[in-house]
Amino acid sequence: MLAMPEQDYGLDMSYPLEGTLLAFDFGSKKMGIAVGQTITMTATALDPIKMQDGIPNWDVLTQLIKKWQPCAIVVLSLIHISEPTRPLYIS
């Protein structure tokens, strides 16, 4: 079972997610990427991609989504240097 966020982000998590997850951690210069499995509860980091003026290469992101076909995508962003990263959107 996936760990539920401590804060209510208004998400419907009443159904179980089973399959592959992709996580994207936005930074100003690079975007970290990880792929995980809900069954094994494991995740593996993929090579980060460079950002161009804070904008990702959308073609690379599209290729990753097509390749992994995730059941959900988690996007993280550093809100402030003194705050931990937190999910902005889970689909």
Side-chain angles (χ1 to χ4, degrees), residues 16-32:
L17 291 175
E18 291 185 5
T20 302
L21 304 175
L22 269 179
F24 300 100
D25 188 3
F26 278 81
S28 60
K29 297 180 183 178
K30 293 181 185 177
M31 178 189 303

Side-chain angles (χ1 to χ4, degrees), residues 53-74:
D53 297 322
I55 299 171
N57 182 329
W58 295 108
D59 292 334
V60 170
L61 295 181
T62 299
Q63 290 171 6
L64 286 169
I65 292 168
K66 286 180 180 180
K67 176 181 180 178
W68 292 102
Q69 299 183 6
C71 66
I73 295 173
V74 179

Side-chain angles (χ1 to χ4, degrees), residues 2-27:
L2 291 176
M4 303 305 264
E6 292 178 18
Q7 183 177 358
D8 179 11
Y9 293 100
L11 305 172
D12 178 9
M13 299 297 282
S14 60
Y15 58 93
L17 291 175
E18 291 185 5
T20 302
L21 304 175
L22 269 179
F24 300 100
D25 188 3
F26 278 81

